[in-house]
């Protein structure tokens, strides 16, 4: 159990400062917060990264393994990352992205909610047949014409279209 180096800080100053010539590039402040590109990292952040022109963090694995970030709480966790073997971005309710899928985005842009293989632009799976909209309107917009499904007050549902800019009511369902 050989240690290559130990830094022990006493007092309240920074624990470690690394410089590139005269520019400070990494800071570990009293309390353990780490700053990359910033000399005063937020005390509530374990890691604070700042770059003046586009900040990017890369997590890379070889071509057959996933790369992800895990967010863990006391009783639950979520992970988000790229599942390379299946060529998709995944948000999962697990400590890995290989099980517990909640949202999947494929490399062609299909989005799946509760399905691991979305076949359309938006594919919603699962056992619930409910789809909830809290707004009062669904709009389908294609080129210069739009179609709407509106819910008014406590009852009526109206289907309408807008050919040539004028709104035409096509069907009304009263409660």
């Amino acid at each position: 159990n050989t240690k290559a180096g130990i830094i022990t800080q006493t007092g309240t100053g920074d624990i470690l400062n690394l410089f590139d010539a005269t520019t400070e590039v990494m800071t570990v402040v009293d309390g353990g917060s780490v700053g990359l590109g910033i000399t005063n990292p937020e005390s509530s952040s374990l890691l604070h990264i700042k770059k003046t022109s586009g900040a990017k963090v890369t997590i890379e694995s070889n071509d057959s393994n996933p790369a992800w970030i895990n967010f863990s709480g006391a009783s639950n966790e979520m992970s988000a990352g790229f599942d390379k073997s299946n060529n998709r971005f995944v948000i999962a309710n697990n400590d890995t992205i290989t099980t517990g899928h909640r949202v999947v985005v494929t490399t062609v842009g299909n989005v799946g909610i509760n399905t691991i293989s979305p076949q359309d632009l938006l594919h919603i799976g699962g056992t619930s047949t409910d789809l909830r909209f809290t707004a009062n309107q669904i709009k389908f917009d294609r080129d210069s014409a739009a179609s709407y499904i509106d819910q008014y007050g406590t009852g009526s549902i109206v289907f309408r279209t807008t050919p040539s800019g004028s709104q035409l009511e096509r069907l009304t369902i009263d409660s």
Side-chain angles (χ1 to χ4, degrees):
N1 195 0
T2 305
K3 294 182 170 102
I6 298 174
I7 298 173
T8 302
Q9 179 251 25
T10 57
T12 59
D14 291 350
I15 298 170
L16 177 67
N17 304 93
L18 298 179
F19 289 82
D20 180 5
T22 59
T23 303
E24 190 169 351
V25 294
M26 181 176 155
T27 304
V28 180
V29 297
D30 184 43
S33 294
V34 176
L36 299 175
I38 187 166
T39 59
N40 57 341
E42 293 178 351
S43 62
S44 61
S45 296
L46 181 59
L47 177 63
H48 185 162
I49 301 170
K50 182 177 182 180
K51 189 173 180 190
T52 57
S53 59
K56 173 185 169 185
V57 175
T58 300
I59 299 173
E60 184 175 347
S61 183
N62 68 24
D63 276 347
S64 61
N65 291 302
W68 74 93
I69 298 172
N70 178 257
F71 303 90
S72 183
S75 61
N76 202 351
E77 53 196 325
M78 297 289 283
S79 296
F82 187 67
D83 178 1
K84 175 59 178 161
S85 62
N86 294 297
N87 282 323
R88 59 189 180 195
F89 181 81
V90 175
I91 298 174
N93 187 212
N94 206 328
D95 66 347
T96 179
I97 58 170
T98 58
T99 60
H101 301 99
R102 296 297 175 254
V103 178
V104 172
V105 182
T106 67
T107 54
V108 296
N110 290 348
V111 176
I113 300 173
N114 286 331
T115 181
I116 60 172
S117 300
Q119 301 301 307
D120 297 296
L121 192 57
L122 177 60
H123 183 161
I124 301 173
T127 57
S128 174
T129 58
D130 294 339
L131 184 59
R132 181 178 299 223
F133 295 92
T134 56
N136 67 341
Q137 183 180 84
I138 300 171
K139 180 179 181 182
F140 304 91
D141 197 352
R142 184 174 179 115
D143 301 324
S144 61
S147 298
Y148 300 86
I149 301 173
D150 298 307
Q151 194 272 326
Y152 294 108
T154 58
S156 297
I157 297 175
V158 178
F159 295 81
R160 57 191 174 90
T161 60
T162 58
S164 306
S166 60
Q167 293 187 15
L168 299 175
E169 189 172 304
R170 302 297 186 172
L171 174 69
T172 299
I173 300 173
D174 292 323
S175 60

